[in-house]
Amino acid sequence: MNTPHTRTPQEVFADHGRRLGTGDLDLISENYTEDAVFLTPEGVLTGRAGVREGIGRLLADLPDAEWQLTPQFAGDVLFLRWAATGSAHEVTDGVDTFVFRDGLISAQTVRHTLSTRTK
């Protein structure tokens, strides 16, 4: 496996997806820089502790969800459109932006609408 500093944004994002599947917030946060920013409409979370908090909320809202991802990379930036369907809730309008630095995620924006599952 490549060291973190040599991973491409695509490799980091693929690894991020695998780690998200574990639900282990410490493992997930290791893919972020120590000074990462995690921006949501509710506010800005910082550092790996902030990442754990933000992703923890998302995973709690959508436990065992099925995810549909549409990534678009441009250099060290990823624009991600996504949808997720859980047992009780769903998201159809997810949009995240990731910024990569030195083989890790240094910034992420998250925007989505959580709604009661209709089907």
Side-chain angles (χ1 to χ4, degrees):
M1 176 163 162
N2 293 337
T3 62
H5 296 292
T6 61
R7 297 186 305 170
T8 67
Q10 292 84 350
E11 289 170 328
V12 175
F13 184 66
D15 188 47
H16 180 63
R18 286 188 291 275
R19 291 176 186 222
L20 280 172
T22 70
D24 182 333
L25 295 175
D26 289 330
L27 185 66
I28 293 164
S29 71
E30 290 172 5
N31 256 337
Y32 289 78
T33 61
E34 290 186 28
D35 63 347
V37 292
F38 191 89
L39 299 95
T40 72
E42 292 77 38
V44 177
L45 301 169
T46 58
R48 289 181 175 155
V51 168
R52 287 190 295 273
E53 180 182 338
I55 291 178
R57 277 191 231 148
L58 180 64
L59 294 178
D61 285 342
L62 294 161
D64 301 316
E66 289 188 29
W67 299 81
Q68 298 82 45
L69 308 177
T70 307
Q72 184 178 346
F73 289 90
D76 288 335
V77 178
L78 164 61
F79 179 74
L80 177 68
R81 287 179 290 145
W82 60 272
T85 305
S87 57
H89 296 98
E90 65 184 358
V91 171
T92 59
D93 64 349
V95 176
D96 292 12
T97 302
F98 293 78
V99 178
F100 300 89
R101 183 180 77 222
D102 298 329
L104 295 168
I105 301 162
S106 63
Q108 181 180 352
T109 66
V110 179
R111 174 70 178 100
H112 65 278
T113 306
L114 185 70
S115 56
T116 302
R117 186 173 173 185
T118 56
K119 304 178 205 175

